[in-house]
Amino acid sequence: MLDFRVGHATHPDWRAALALAGMQIDAGRRAPELAANPPNLGFVYFTEAYLPHAAALLAALQERWPGTAWVGSVGVGVCATAVEYSDEPALVLMLGSLPAASFEVFSGVRKLQHADAWTALVHADPATPDLGELIDELSDRIGSGYLFGGLAAAQ
């Protein structure tokens, strides 16, 4: 069974929010479990207050969970289990362990490599030139044609 862990927090300092969310993710997981099934895919969503620290936040995520591929976006607000954070500094994390061959992280910089992908989770910047055409092209390259996700909306 796939196991995804979620953590979220608000704090004026992104480091403190990351520590709080990380504790939620790590709670209840024992060292043998983590060693046998370390996370390899992570989602991070954060509000605009942390945007100036995005590179440092990503570096901290990579240090805390090495070997994890990260995706996500920034927005005016973020949501987690039964909570919404809007116009305040906050972040939401979700980490999971999937078979390595079952996913691929790609972007406008690193194109999709596997032609046999069945579906794609897509985060897009609405300011991207020719976004509609890019989404159509990606859908044509996916086995089912099915894309899901959303636009990153920030001020």
Side-chain angles (χ1 to χ4, degrees):
M1 180 168 76
L2 296 177
D3 180 30
F4 280 90
R5 300 287 176 138
V6 176
H8 55 90
T10 180
H11 195 280
D13 184 340
W14 68 268
R15 292 172 206 84
L18 176 56
L20 292 166
M23 285 188 288
Q24 293 169 33
I25 288 171
D26 293 340
R29 297 190 85 180
R30 299 171 194 241
E33 177 187 358
L34 286 171
N37 203 19
N40 61 353
L41 180 59
F43 298 84
V44 57
Y45 301 100
F46 54 92
T47 59
E48 293 173 302
Y50 298 151
L51 187 55
H53 312 287
L57 174 58
L58 178 59
L61 291 167
Q62 291 169 329
E63 182 178 339
R64 183 170 181 145
W65 292 285
T68 300
W70 288 96
V71 298
S73 70
V74 60
V76 175
V78 292
C79 300
T81 310
V83 66
E84 297 177 18
Y85 302 100
S86 183
D87 292 324
E88 64 181 311
L91 63 81
V92 176
L93 303 175
M94 184 171 74
L95 279 95
S97 181
L98 287 81
S102 69
F103 73 93
E104 176 183 353
V105 175
F106 65 96
S107 69
V109 175
R110 187 185 177 286
K111 302 290 186 201
L112 182 65
Q113 300 298 310
H114 294 96
D116 60 347
W118 186 248
T119 188
L121 167 59
V122 179
H123 297 101
D125 179 349
T128 302
D130 303 320
L131 181 59
E133 290 83 5
L134 291 170
I135 290 173
D136 285 343
E137 177 187 330
L138 180 58
S139 180
D140 289 342
R141 295 186 62 200
I142 300 297
S144 67
Y146 184 68
L147 307 177
F148 63 100
L151 298 175
Q155 297 177 21

